[in-house]
Amino acid sequence: MALRIVFAGTPDFAATVLKHLLLAGVRPACVLTQPDRPQGRGRKLTASPVKHLAMTAGIDVQQPATLNRRKSEGALALACILSEPIDLLVVAAYGLMIPPPLLEHPRYGAVNVHASLLPRWRGAAPVEYAIMADDKRTGVTLMQMDRGLDTGPLLTRIECPISDSVTGPELTAELAELGGRLLVDLLPNIDEMKAEPQNESLATLSPKLRASDAVIDWSRSATAIHNQIRALTDRLTAETTLPADSTVIRMRILSSKILPGAHASRAGMILEGFARDVIPVACGEGMIGLQRIQLSTGKGAPLSAADARNGFGELVAPGTVLGETVR
């Protein structure tokens, strides 16, 4: 059965899902993605991964900044989309609210490809919250969308484990592949779709990440801090501060590992007596080793622990307490 599909998505996760549709011979009639955004040091306008893939495939792309009917741009975009019949709307990390008329217009409604085991981690950052919560498993859920925030009935899902070392981007990429395959498997059986309501008592939220979510609280356990660092890799990136004369130096932590043993030092203090491949730091419980960092001084390039000692030994010397200058 040939379906007239409209696909809505923006980042790499969504592009991977779209890739699976195209590989399966399912070609959306139209793709919705967010407007080009300035990126990089030159702030050059850059197309989203979904736009890039869709244009390469010769698919019509629409990029409204809003679908809100109360705004002229949203009303025009919505009228254009609704002017044609649609069998199914597929949404994957689109980033804009889908208004009720567009949810209700397609013959089979709207299906969302969500990177969690709903109802756990509804919202914008399910992968990051799953890692930060030290969840041992996650997955992808295909959900029939309704007017709520990821509250619609569940169609199908697939699970996968969360390893102790996987980063947010790595897990997102893995879930995108699973989600794309799951969607392709669902489409031939769309006439028989049976959705089950979510168990509201199990619902948790993963709201949009804020800058404050990246600031490390060294009184927490080494496990919690390590999970924060790897969850936020290439997103916000976990950070702390270094005491320095008359200034504040920020340290972004790019990778870490949990160190064995105990300590009797102040939380946040850099320790001594470990291999040069880590900068050991005392936590509220346990110790963590900083493997790669980035400082807001010098050239600002990523540094291994050994390179940080060689170039900024006075800043990362044992006895230094991280996070003291955070206000």
Side-chain angles (χ1 to χ4, degrees):
M1 175 179 59
L3 297 172
R4 189 173 193 276
I5 292 175
V6 171
F7 183 91
T10 300
D12 285 322
F13 177 87
T16 298
V17 174
L18 177 58
K19 175 197 72 176
H20 277 275
L21 287 178
L22 295 174
L23 289 174
V26 180
R27 182 183 175 85
C30 171
V31 160
L32 301 176
T33 192
Q34 290 203 43
D36 297 358
R37 305 292 189 196
Q39 292 185 4
R41 291 186 177 181
R43 308 304 291 163
K44 180 181 178 181
L45 283 179
T46 304
S48 74
V50 163
K51 178 181 178 180
H52 180 75
L53 177 57
M55 292 187 67
T56 300
I59 299 172
D60 177 50
V61 175
Q62 297 188 35
Q63 296 179 271
T66 179
L67 292 174
N68 188 335
R69 290 175 293 171
R70 295 185 179 90
K71 298 182 178 180
S72 58
E73 182 180 359
L76 286 171
L78 200 57
C80 179
I81 298 166
L82 298 180
S83 66
E84 297 284 347
I86 302 172
D87 291 314
L88 182 69
L89 173 66
V90 174
V91 181
Y94 178 35
L96 295 182
M97 293 295 294
I98 307 293
L102 184 50
L103 293 176
E104 298 161 3
H105 179 69
R107 178 183 176 190
Y108 295 108
V111 171
N112 179 246
V113 184
H114 187 77
S116 83
L117 297 175
L118 290 171
R120 188 162 178 79
W121 304 130
R122 295 171 175 172
V127 173
E128 291 81 3
Y129 275 86
I131 294 176
M132 288 192 290
D134 204 26
D135 288 358
K136 302 305 180 187
R137 65 190 182 98
T138 187
V140 178
T141 302
L142 300 188
M143 173 198 71
Q144 189 84 53
M145 295 180 70
D146 61 13
R147 300 188 185 197
L149 177 63
D150 299 328
T151 56
L154 310 178
L155 298 169
T156 185
R157 69 181 190 175
I158 187 170
E159 298 186 11
C160 77
I162 303 177
S163 77
D164 293 335
S165 60
V166 71
T167 65
E170 290 168 345
L171 184 56
T172 298
E174 181 179 357
L175 294 175
E177 296 288 346
L178 292 175
R181 292 195 290 268
L182 193 64
L183 177 64
V184 168
D185 289 343
L186 175 76
L187 293 181
N189 305 309
I190 196 166
D191 278 321
E192 290 81 40
M193 284 196 309
K194 293 182 179 179
E196 297 182 0
Q198 296 188 35
N199 185 340
E200 291 296 324
S201 68
L202 300 178
T204 59
L205 297 178
S206 60
K208 185 177 180 179
L209 294 167
R210 301 167 298 173
S212 59
D213 294 317
V215 178
I216 294 175
D217 176 0
W218 293 103
S219 69
R220 301 174 73 208
S221 71
T223 297
I225 293 171
H226 174 63
N227 290 344
Q228 178 186 13
I229 291 167
R230 64 194 181 97
L232 300 181
T233 298
D234 293 338
R235 185 88 183 253
L236 289 175
T237 306
E239 66 172 39
T240 188
T241 52
L242 284 162
D245 294 338
S246 69
T247 187
V248 172
I249 294 178
R250 296 202 170 271
M251 174 194 287
R252 304 175 78 209
I253 302 173
L254 308 180
S255 64
S256 63
K257 67 179 181 180
I258 297 172
L259 299 177
H263 66 86
S265 302
R266 181 176 176 181
M269 180 176 287
I270 296 178
L271 306 172
E272 58 184 344
F274 287 81
R276 288 185 60 80
D277 66 336
V278 296
I279 299 170
V281 183
C283 304
E285 178 185 336
M287 298 176 288
I288 194 169
L290 311 184
Q291 296 172 305
R292 293 178 68 248
I293 65 171
Q294 193 171 17
L295 300 174
S296 62
T297 187
K299 295 182 179 180
L303 301 167
S304 68
D307 288 340
R309 284 196 183 93
N310 290 336
F312 302 92
E314 73 285 359
L315 294 179
V316 295
T320 300
V321 179
L322 303 178
E324 281 196 320
T325 54
V326 173
R327 290 179 174 84

